[in-house]
Amino acid sequence: VPAGGTLVTFAFDSATNITTISQEQPPVAEPALGDGQFVAQRIVHDSRDDRYRTPFGAVPVGSAVTLRLRTAANDVEGVTLIVTDLSTGVDRPLPMQPAGVEDGDQWWAATLQTTQQPTVWNYKFRLQDGAEVLFHADDGRLDGGPGVSLAAGPGADGGWDIYAYVP
């Protein structure tokens, strides 16, 4: 199945009884700060990859977890990591900092310091460019791994989870 937004055309030639399928990728926006457009194909976070989440997996209470997001360079003006303590429902917005440019992509990073209480922390990203906002969260399966970009913020448990436990 092609990526979302791809134009797929099916054609049938009745003279030869041959079906052809073609696909055309949607145009990719050029990155520009403040234009209110996002190069969504270049927004990446994969909760199973230690380039994006360190340490991986459940963590002892009181641990620091560094989370990273990748965007096209010169495309996004700011990123906020939104962390929700699922035991209390309280959101904790953490501004992310630019953390370097690599191969035309801007890396953003923030570190969550977990509390001394065992809980599940749910996180997602809020991106800002000009007057526009885009969210990046776990996909609809909520099984971790790569995420999806969304025009509206996901629910309280719509992001990825970090389990903090008492060792």
Side-chain angles (χ1 to χ4, degrees):
V1 174
T6 301
L7 176 63
V8 178
T9 305
F10 295 85
F12 178 72
D13 183 337
S14 60
T16 62
N17 287 332
I18 294 177
T19 302
T20 58
I21 303 170
S22 63
Q23 60 182 328
E24 181 179 329
Q25 296 296 326
V28 176
E30 289 296 320
L33 285 175
D35 66 355
Q37 296 184 23
F38 299 91
V39 182
Q41 300 90 333
R42 304 262 300 275
I43 299 170
V44 181
H45 173 78
D46 184 342
S47 67
R48 295 185 190 126
D49 184 331
D50 63 4
R51 292 178 300 167
Y52 299 93
R53 177 173 163 173
T54 306
F56 174 77
V59 297
V61 295
S63 295
V65 180
T66 300
L67 299 162
R68 294 177 194 85
L69 180 77
R70 197 175 78 212
T71 66
N74 300 313
D75 183 44
V76 175
E77 292 181 304
V79 179
T80 302
L81 173 65
I82 301 170
V83 182
T84 305
D85 179 339
L86 293 182
S87 66
T88 64
V90 174
D91 286 345
R92 199 160 99 185
L94 300 172
M96 297 190 81
Q97 302 302 315
V101 175
E102 177 184 324
D103 297 327
D105 290 331
Q106 175 69 59
W107 285 87
W108 300 83
T111 299
L112 165 67
Q113 183 65 49
T114 65
T115 62
Q116 294 298 320
Q117 298 300 315
T119 191
V120 178
W121 298 94
N122 187 267
Y123 69 94
K124 56 205 132 268
F125 303 94
R126 180 184 184 275
L127 296 82
Q128 175 103 29
D129 189 52
E132 296 300 315
V133 170
L134 187 70
F135 293 86
H136 195 73
D138 199 1
D139 62 24
R141 292 184 305 266
L142 299 177
D143 60 355
V148 295
S149 294
L150 308 162
D157 192 22
W160 295 272
D161 289 334
I162 299 170
Y163 292 80
Y165 65 92
V166 175

